[in-house]
Amino acid sequence: GAVVSQHPSWVICKSGTSVKIECRSLDFQATTMFWYRQFPKQSLMLMATSNEGSKATYEQGVEKDKFLINHASLTLSTLTVTSAHPEDSSFYICSASRVEGTEAFFGQGTRLTVV
Amino acid sequence: AQSVTQPDIHITVSEGASLELRCNYSYGATPYLFWYVQSPGQGLQLLLKYFSGDTLVQGIKGFEAEFKRSQSSFNLRKPSVHWSDAAEYFCAVGLGYGGSQGNLIFGKGTKLSVKP
């Protein structure tokens, strides 16, 4: 299988600050990357889909100005949570596909805590 | 609206016993169905998937799942559970063209505990 790595694995930030989470495909080129959010004892919810070199497509209800997604290269996508608030505390997971419609490989997730 | 239901939040089985995790879906078109496993603090690992063809699907780690259209179900089974199978299991339905495996709707998960 292919390897997807997220960094950091966990992060604590102060309310009002911004935090960036990286998602890297280590041994393949990912045309498409996906960002999910997982609340405690809840399922994963797709936040947005990003294609390399294009603007991300956000799911309904996800604030695009708050959750900035950049997919500048075939191996890296970043999610920036701007002006973070405690309610943004969650587990964020990315996945990556070589080509949209093919198997997506998941990263290990990032635990964000906003205090 | 599309949805995935995993009725059991938490299941405990004895090591060596058989296992069945339930999954029901609601989807208007032909579903593309997946089972993932998540260990604590880890990402998701694909166990198996169903796109078409044989309704009994074999996966990794000795897991299998059966697609039953009439029951809108895709239950996961394993004949003999090992202690290392303790984890959280997610059922998902794929949306998008070709059942895109990135655009997924997940169930809430079933936590599996294994007794020695």
Side-chain angles (χ1 to χ4, degrees):
Chain A
V3 180
V4 175
S5 178
Q6 281 183 242
H7 179 80
S9 297
W10 60 270
V11 58
I12 300 173
C13 71
K14 290 185 177 180
S15 198
T17 63
S18 296
V19 60
K20 180 184 287 188
I21 301 169
E22 293 184 346
C23 177
R24 292 182 184 273
S25 55
L26 298 185
D27 53 1
F28 69 101
Q29 293 188 324
T31 303
T32 307
M33 288 188 173
F34 305 86
W35 286 96
Y36 291 83
R37 182 174 180 175
Q38 184 180 26
F39 291 99
K41 302 188 185 304
Q42 298 290 319
S43 64
L44 289 80
M45 301 294 291
L46 180 66
M47 298 174 67
T49 302
S50 72
N51 291 294
E52 185 264 340
S54 303
K55 288 185 179 180
T57 301
Y58 289 81
E59 296 299 301
Q60 191 173 12
V62 177
E63 298 175 62
K64 58 183 67 176
D65 293 330
K66 180 166 188 62
F67 298 99
L68 301 179
I69 292 172
N70 183 281
H71 191 168
S73 78
L74 286 172
T75 58
L76 174 65
S77 176
T78 60
L79 167 66
T80 301
V81 183
T82 63
S83 187
H85 291 282
E87 56 264 32
D88 298 325
S89 299
S90 192
F91 194 58
Y92 293 88
I93 304 179
C94 73
S95 68
S97 298
R98 289 182 175 87
V99 176
E100 188 166 9
T102 61
E103 181 172 356
F105 301 94
F106 283 81
Q108 79 276 23
T110 297
R111 173 75 59 193
L112 169 64
T113 302
V114 184
V115 297
Chain B
Q2 301 90 347
S3 65
V4 177
T5 302
Q6 293 179 246
D8 304 305
I9 297 173
H10 189 185
I11 284 182
T12 300
V13 299
S14 297
E15 191 168 17
S18 63
L19 170 71
E20 183 170 33
L21 301 181
R22 296 184 291 166
C23 173
N24 294 96
Y25 66 88
S26 173
Y27 188 56
T30 300
Y32 298 90
L33 297 162
F34 307 84
W35 274 100
Y36 287 88
V37 59
Q38 183 182 32
S39 298
Q42 301 293 313
L44 300 175
Q45 182 181 24
L46 179 66
L47 286 176
L48 47 79
K49 60 189 176 187
Y50 171 78
F51 279 12
S52 64
D54 193 344
T55 56
L56 184 62
V57 181
Q58 301 298 320
I60 62 172
K61 304 185 179 187
F63 286 93
E64 66 178 26
E66 186 171 12
F67 169 59
K68 292 186 178 180
R69 184 185 297 274
S70 61
Q71 299 178 18
S72 297
S73 70
F74 189 56
N75 294 346
L76 181 71
R77 300 194 293 247
K78 186 169 184 178
S80 178
V81 169
H82 188 261
W83 63 267
S84 60
D85 293 325
E88 186 116 26
Y89 291 80
F90 291 93
C91 180
V93 62
L95 308 180
Y97 178 75
S100 172
Q101 298 180 49
N103 191 349
L104 300 172
I105 291 182
F106 285 86
K108 291 188 176 183
T110 297
K111 183 177 180 180
L112 173 65
S113 297
V114 180
K115 292 190 299 185

